[in-house]
Amino acid sequence: MTEDTTTPEAEDLRGETAADAPEVAEHDAVSGLQAELEDMRKQLLYAQAETQNVRRRMEKDAQDARAYAATSFARDILSVADNLARALSAIPPAMREQEGTKAVVQGIEMTAKELENVFQRNGITRIESIGSPLDPNRHQAMVELPSDQPAGTIVQEMQAGYMIKDRLLRPALVGVAKASEQPRVDLEA
């Protein structure tokens, strides 16, 4: 037989429940509610930050949509600008001075100038190519040509390139200077 060595104080503590110690239960409940409150605060801050990010992203998308809405139309109208430039360059100087054709030539020139003004008002700019180094983000090299310019310098423009605001609308089709071929010296001779 075993002896019961529990003291009356230990006996009292063993039988005690949360109802018997209200301050412990109250403390646990308050701690739980504080932790839940802190969790809810974090969730609220996260939701506010996410909402602000979505709002900023939507504003930027709307701004881009307004700024670049005419991109496909602008690409289509570039062929009109190309044809107008070809028409002007095909007119011989003698025809520009003839009385019968002078008004037609002036009309084509005025139309080209007006198209250039419309492009300018809508943020469409021509890429300057001749004499500048090849930039694969703005130019498309079509051919290498012998030249006294440094290799990679644009020496011919086959088709003008255009930007719409800060985006490429159409790359310029260009010819670049070829690296000069140095005669090989045979050192073993």
Side-chain angles (χ1 to χ4, degrees):
M1 189 158 158
T2 58
E3 260 184 66
D4 190 12
T5 58
T6 56
T7 62
E9 295 86 27
E11 188 78 29
D12 288 344
L13 287 176
R14 227 181 314 148
E16 196 172 289
T17 63
D20 296 335
E23 64 277 348
V24 172
E26 209 172 279
H27 178 62
D28 288 346
V30 169
S31 295
L33 289 174
Q34 285 177 336
E36 190 177 331
L37 178 63
E38 188 60 32
D39 186 46
M40 291 296 177
R41 280 186 185 144
K42 287 179 183 176
Q43 288 180 12
L44 176 64
L45 288 174
Y46 177 77
Q48 286 175 337
E50 185 64 26
T51 301
Q52 189 174 19
N53 289 340
V54 167
R55 184 180 50 78
R56 285 182 185 155
R57 195 169 30 251
M58 288 177 62
E59 286 174 358
K60 182 171 181 349
D61 289 348
Q63 210 172 34
D64 286 351
R66 283 190 298 274
Y68 303 109
T71 299
S72 64
F73 176 73
R75 277 193 188 107
D76 291 342
I77 205 75
L78 288 179
S79 63
V80 174
D82 292 340
N83 288 334
L84 228 73
R86 282 186 205 105
L88 284 171
S89 66
I91 299 171
M95 187 182 244
R96 290 178 184 268
E97 299 304 318
Q98 290 178 359
E99 284 302 314
T101 57
K102 194 174 192 178
V104 173
V105 171
Q106 285 177 341
I108 295 172
E109 287 173 340
M110 288 176 16
T111 303
K113 184 66 176 163
E114 181 59 25
L115 185 59
E116 187 179 312
N117 291 337
V118 168
F119 281 176
Q120 198 171 39
R121 281 194 305 267
N122 288 283
I124 299 169
T125 55
R126 184 181 172 138
I127 298 171
E128 295 301 323
S129 300
I130 303 289
S132 63
L134 179 71
D135 178 358
N137 296 315
R138 294 177 174 227
H139 308 113
Q140 184 174 348
M142 303 301 290
V143 63
E144 282 188 318
L145 302 167
S147 173
D148 57 348
Q149 298 287 323
T153 302
I154 298 170
V155 294
Q156 181 182 10
E157 184 178 72
M158 290 142 205
Q159 184 180 52
Y162 289 88
M163 301 286 291
I164 184 167
K165 301 200 185 330
D166 61 344
R167 289 187 184 172
L168 182 67
L169 189 58
R170 178 177 81 184
L173 303 181
V174 297
V176 295
K178 186 187 330 186
S180 62
E181 294 184 25
Q182 299 294 328
R184 294 183 75 196
V185 177
D186 190 7
L187 298 175
E188 293 188 25

